[in-house]
Amino acid sequence: MITDSLKNASLYYSVNPRFERAFAWLASVDTAAIEPGKYEIDGKEIFASVVDKELKKPEDAKLEVHDKYIDIQIIVRGEETFGWSERCACTEPKADFDSEKDIQFFLDKPQTCYTLRAGQFTILFPEDAHAPMIGEGTVKKVILKIKA
């Protein structure tokens, strides 16, 4: 798991060969004006989802993991808290892994929490169990999905 400010995005281009293209797409759009929905960037290799949603209470946010994709979640408006745990520490699956949707949820409590504000991002790898969308009010964010 990585957290940082968008002004430092270029520091992470070497982590994955698709990161530079994903961040370049992000820089090319007006994130304040972009409508919620799914945006293709490079087929199934890189795509984005824009969401503008109500946040949840901590007890309502479940840890989730992905096998095929790395998430880069960028806060556009508002403030969002994420729960985090090592995937290998999750022992209470809510259901089996859904390979079609590339997701599995867990009932375990997060090991730690962190909060991001507008202009900040988090990178979540398949090893990272994360519980997003925690807080009060609403958040607008871009979720870049990068093939791992």
Side-chain angles (χ1 to χ4, degrees):
M1 179 260 305
I2 295 170
T3 62
D4 206 339
S5 173
L6 277 175
K7 67 184 177 203
N8 298 323
S10 64
L11 297 174
Y12 304 97
Y13 292 174
S14 64
V15 174
N16 180 290
R18 298 176 184 93
F19 280 13
E20 185 172 4
R21 180 148 186 212
F23 279 115
W25 176 85
L26 185 70
S28 75
V29 298
D30 180 354
T31 55
I34 194 168
E35 292 293 322
K38 190 172 178 181
Y39 296 85
E40 186 177 306
I41 300 167
D42 186 13
K44 293 186 180 197
E45 304 291 309
I46 309 170
F47 60 92
S49 293
V50 177
V51 297
D52 195 344
K53 291 188 172 182
E54 192 76 26
L55 294 167
K56 305 173 189 175
K57 294 178 182 176
E59 59 271 16
D60 295 331
K62 302 297 177 224
L63 286 165
E64 62 184 68
V65 297
H66 312 289
D67 284 347
K68 298 176 191 168
Y69 289 94
I70 298 166
D71 280 7
I72 303 177
Q73 300 198 22
I74 304 100
I75 308 304
V76 175
R77 185 190 70 247
E79 189 172 283
E80 178 182 359
T81 297
F82 292 77
W84 177 89
S85 290
E86 285 185 275
R87 182 180 187 157
C88 63
C90 294
T91 60
E92 299 179 55
K94 185 176 178 186
D96 291 335
F97 191 89
D98 184 333
S99 58
E100 188 173 310
K101 293 182 180 178
D102 189 41
I103 197 164
Q104 183 176 25
F105 292 98
F106 288 87
L107 300 172
D108 302 76
K109 299 291 180 215
Q111 174 185 339
T112 191
C113 292
Y114 59 97
T115 301
L116 298 180
R117 296 181 178 92
Q120 297 176 328
F121 66 90
T122 187
I123 302 174
L124 299 156
F125 298 91
E127 299 81 14
D128 298 311
H130 53 285
M133 302 298 294
I134 300 170
E136 294 183 11
T138 61
V139 69
K140 181 177 184 182
K141 67 179 178 175
V142 176
I143 303 165
L144 294 167
K145 300 292 276 186
I146 315 294
K147 186 143 184 167

